[in-house]
Amino acid sequence: MRAKKWFAMTMSMVLSLSLFVTACSGGGGNEGTDSGKSEERLANLNQAGMPIAKEKITMTGFAAKLYASADWSKLMLWEEYEKITNVHIDWETVQIDSLKEKRNIKLAGGDYPEIFFASAFAKSDLIKYGSQGTFLKLNDLIDQNAPNFKAMMEKYPIVKKGITMPDGSIYGLPTVFDPEFISLFYGTPWMKQEWLDKLNLKPPANLDELYNVLKAIKEGDPNGNGKNDEIPWGSKGVWIMINYLKGSFGLNKNGVANPNVDLDPDTGKLRFVPATKQYKELLEYVAKLYRDGMFDKETFTMKDTDISSKATAGVYGFLDGVDPKAIYNQEGYVGMPILEGPYGDKMATNIGSPLGNIGMFVLTDKAKNPEAAIRWMDHFYSDEGAKMFFMGFEGVTYKMTDKGEYEYLDSIAKNPDGLNLDQAVSQYLVWPGGYYPGIVKQQFFKGAEGLPSSVKNAEDAAPNSIKLDDIWPAFNFTPEEQDELTTIQTDIHTFVDEMRDKFASGALGFDQWDSYVQQLDKMNVKRYLEIYQAAYDRYTSSK
């Protein structure tokens, strides 16, 4: 994918001049700051380019990290970025596992920093602390100081609509998955082509054919060892299989960011997917697969270590997730076709939004230099910033190939001390663990989704997948809606998940389906839908 420049330098100068004039006139202030945009603060802020500050600025920051041993005060990424920006961050870090607890303690006690980075705030937290003034409203700061992110919002409206609260406020900056990096979105489960060839099987085109192919793998000894040890389909969870099969039943045609609701084609209003007849038929199909041994019996309780052990032993004919070569060292898997369902639906709908967590970067009311802070973050939404964030530094962590591609050095990719990729990268950079604001671009991201096999799987799936323009982000709610929704949705979601597993495993017969739907009614699923409908109506009417 070719690199793009979001804004010309002249545009940056225009925006910065506008900022200066506005600040000196006292307009366009920042909600939550105690002194507005003072002339003294702006005098130290370069209007374009680097460094951001003429005299060094120090800010306090709190962040999550994957490895306890990573010392962010001595990390090359932050040391080099400080040289570029003249902005020093005094970091306090916690491991991802304890992030929520430590983050909430700091907020509750008032001992919180100027910047929360890689802190993964839920939307309910953004609404709560934003409306209280603890988190700064970022609208003006983005408009006047973040040309890269502003250009991204204009190019991809889903980003702007997805981060904007019902009152029009923006309180956090997100992880953005570049819509042009299609293998982050499109793709199907993987099937072992060698086994299909040995059994003279064609790739399945519909649900009946899938069943027959799985049955042939179970009974046909494709590995040729004379034992009945093959497992037709391996998955980390039955919900993953169900999400993939939803498109064959006409469900979730706007993606799975709001997994329990979609548009009813008969009414044009939202419906509760787990109560539809199509969802029932989907569970009946999965229950048949399970009953007849077509997928791993441990799927309902599968742990990462369990599936890794079996997958690396080569016992699965079909596997969910990324290419098994990348994570299980298993060759010869190819993407399976998208399957036609009982009503003629042939669409992959198990596609998430390009918008990741929208609370990955937050400024608090303690921020003394909010303009500099937002510019500091904005760089990571540019090509240069994304390259530094994910690839690091030429000659130290990566090199350019003869084809003009970026490639980690052997000290990272084939670490002589036996470190895996995440461990080796974490000596220099902070992206391992998946907690970060910024943009994920194909040319700089070297995970399994960028492999040629993954790209081919995506290209094959794309013609029968929902289009990215039709995908919804996770909806935003008003504080009142969020409070009410929180009260009812936890019980509803827990009940739906429990009953899904019971129906799919045969622990509960489908003669109990009507009782299940009636219980959902008692749990106030009607109000749940009303709240989602209001959020959907706002989403479709916003610009």
Side-chain angles (χ1 to χ4, degrees), residues 173-399:
L173 296 184
T175 308
V176 177
F177 303 103
D178 185 1
E180 296 180 39
F181 190 176
I182 66 169
S183 49
L184 284 177
F185 306 98
Y186 297 148
T188 61
W190 300 81
M191 56 187 185
K192 202 164 191 175
Q193 186 65 55
E194 178 187 351
W195 285 9
L196 269 65
D197 292 342
K198 184 170 183 178
L199 297 171
N200 294 317
L201 297 170
K202 294 181 179 180
N206 56 50
L207 296 175
D208 290 338
E209 291 182 11
L210 174 62
Y211 178 91
N212 292 333
V213 168
L214 296 175
K215 189 172 189 292
I217 290 172
K218 177 179 172 60
E219 299 174 352
D221 189 28
N223 65 15
N225 67 356
K227 301 177 182 179
N228 187 23
D229 57 353
E230 297 88 349
I231 301 175
W233 192 338
S235 178
K236 288 186 179 180
V238 72
W239 63 272
I240 299 175
M241 299 175 62
I242 288 171
N243 273 356
Y244 169 67
L245 293 171
K246 278 181 177 180
S248 299
F249 289 84
L251 300 173
N252 288 109
K253 289 187 176 180
N254 294 93
V256 292
N258 305 285
N260 290 323
V261 298
D262 69 0
L263 280 182
D264 188 331
D266 295 329
T267 66
K269 296 290 186 180
L270 294 190
R271 63 183 176 179
F272 191 70
V273 169
T276 62
K277 69 172 186 176
Q278 293 92 335
Y279 185 77
K280 176 187 177 185
E281 292 169 352
L282 166 56
L283 291 185
E284 288 174 330
Y285 178 78
V286 174
K288 178 184 177 182
L289 294 182
Y290 180 74
R291 182 181 65 244
D292 295 345
M294 299 305 148
F295 63 88
D296 197 325
K297 296 292 185 182
E298 296 182 8
T299 298
F300 294 92
T301 57
M302 188 73 74
K303 297 177 181 176
D304 286 348
T305 52
D306 297 330
I307 195 166
S308 179
S309 175
K310 293 182 179 182
T312 53
V315 301
Y316 289 126
F318 286 67
L319 268 168
D320 293 332
V322 298
D323 187 345
K325 179 180 179 181
I327 53 176
Y328 304 127
N329 199 29
Q330 291 295 302
E331 303 275 358
Y333 283 85
V334 299
M336 68 178 284
I338 293 170
L339 306 173
E340 183 175 347
Y343 302 105
D345 297 290
K346 186 178 180 180
M347 185 71 65
T349 64
N350 184 29
I351 300 174
S353 164
L355 193 62
N357 184 287
I358 70 172
M360 280 296 181
F361 180 87
V362 166
L363 291 179
T364 74
D365 57 359
K366 294 187 179 184
K368 301 179 183 67
N369 295 278
E371 299 87 359
I374 206 76
R375 282 196 60 199
W376 181 93
M377 181 62 241
D378 183 62
H379 184 61
F380 293 115
Y381 292 101
S382 71
D383 281 351
E384 282 300 311
K387 180 179 71 174
M388 181 177 68
F389 190 81
F390 286 104
M391 295 304 303
F393 305 93
E394 189 169 9
V396 178
T397 55
Y398 79 87
K399 64 181 179 180

Side-chain angles (χ1 to χ4, degrees), residues 492-505:
I492 289 175
H493 290 173
T494 300
F495 179 66
V496 165
D497 290 348
E498 289 176 351
M499 297 300 283
R500 174 201 64 210
D501 288 359
K502 288 181 178 179
F503 282 124
S505 66

